[in-house]
Amino acid sequence: MMEAAAQEKLISVINEKFEGEIIEARMDMDFFTFILKKEKIVDIIRHLYNHEETRFQYLTTMFAVHYPDQNQIAMVYQLHNLSANQRIRLKVFLPADNPSTPTLTTVFSAANWMEREAYDFFGVISQGHPNLKRILNVEDMLIFPMRKEYPLEDQTREDKNDLMFGR
């Protein structure tokens, strides 16, 4: 768990260059989590990467989460400062009808496949991505299957008896 002094330091590091971009900062499941405005997310991550007091230079993961009740998709970035062993989570919320954010491949080359996965399953467009196309699903698929607006199972299947599955 990150100490309160380290949390305040992170907030001040972001605010020194990006005043007003933090919507919320809180501890969430042992991660210090920032909810940020989406427009400058890549610049903020680059700042945290290069700043000598933070050095968050490892992208642990990046993923999308669909919130159908709010008609939003969150892009979540988890960063790690390996030398200080600190981890943080950054979130930006995008409208579900047009989820678009700048590409993070300019900071982390590993973001390439993670952004393609977010596009493939949730439809998140990473503006400026070098090769944004489906990575696991077929290219002519018309839906984004991990959005919660789609049923978990194929409702047209006739080869499955629900009684065999305890239903």
Side-chain angles (χ1 to χ4, degrees), residues 102-136:
T103 185
L104 191 58
T105 58
T106 57
V107 181
F108 295 105
S109 60
N112 186 322
W113 287 60
M114 294 181 223
E115 287 178 348
R116 286 178 64 188
E117 183 182 49
Y119 168 70
D120 196 4
F121 288 108
F122 293 91
V124 177
I125 304 291
S126 297
Q127 297 291 332
H129 189 280
N131 188 22
L132 191 63
K133 63 181 183 178
R134 291 197 182 264
I135 191 170
L136 295 169

